[in-house]
Amino acid sequence: MLIKLDLAKAYDRLSLGYLEGILKAHGSDPRWVKCIVSMVSTLVLSVMLNGTPTEAFNPSQGLRQRDPLSPFLFILAVEGLSRMINAQVASDQVKGLRICGNDLPITHQ
């Protein structure tokens, strides 16, 4: 089985709970984690519909694009995904792809 991950809309779909877990797993200070989660989760959005703004709402997932902190947080989230894939490979639950008899299987990059 071959799995292709499409990260094109990953900013929009990143779970804030997962992000918080990744920050904690990296050993970040709890005050820092609380501050980052607060900055990301206190965002309030409103949509223009026919020239009239809708009622404000809080998004439940995703990172703001053009926010200087978002690329850093996204890299941490992808690093967490990479570690999960490596753990699955190490436990032989996922096999890497061998190309042209290559001794080292390719799992992800």
Side-chain angles (χ1 to χ4, degrees):
M1 172 175 33
L2 184 65
I3 298 173
K4 179 185 180 290
L5 299 176
D6 182 10
L7 298 178
K9 296 200 179 253
Y11 270 81
D12 301 334
R13 302 188 194 290
L14 185 61
S15 163
L16 298 180
Y18 173 76
L19 182 61
E20 182 177 5
I22 289 295
L23 288 168
K24 288 178 181 177
H26 275 281
S28 298
D29 185 279
R31 294 174 295 178
W32 172 254
V33 173
K34 183 178 177 181
C35 179
I36 295 295
V37 170
S38 175
M39 286 190 312
V40 173
S41 64
T42 57
L43 176 66
V44 178
L45 300 174
S46 181
V47 178
M48 292 292 280
L49 184 62
N50 294 328
T52 306
T54 62
E55 187 174 330
F57 63 94
N58 295 81
S60 60
Q61 62 186 20
L63 294 173
R64 287 180 282 190
Q65 294 185 19
R66 297 186 184 162
D67 184 336
L69 190 58
S70 292
F72 169 72
L73 297 175
F74 184 73
I75 289 170
L76 284 177
V78 171
E79 174 65 24
L81 175 62
S82 178
R83 288 176 186 238
M84 284 188 250
I85 292 171
N86 285 336
Q88 295 294 308
V89 170
S91 67
D92 286 331
Q93 293 182 349
V94 172
K95 304 283 186 207
L97 178 66
R98 295 184 188 276
I99 299 176
C100 298
N102 187 356
D103 289 339
L104 297 172
I106 299 171
T107 56
H108 68 290
Q109 293 297 322

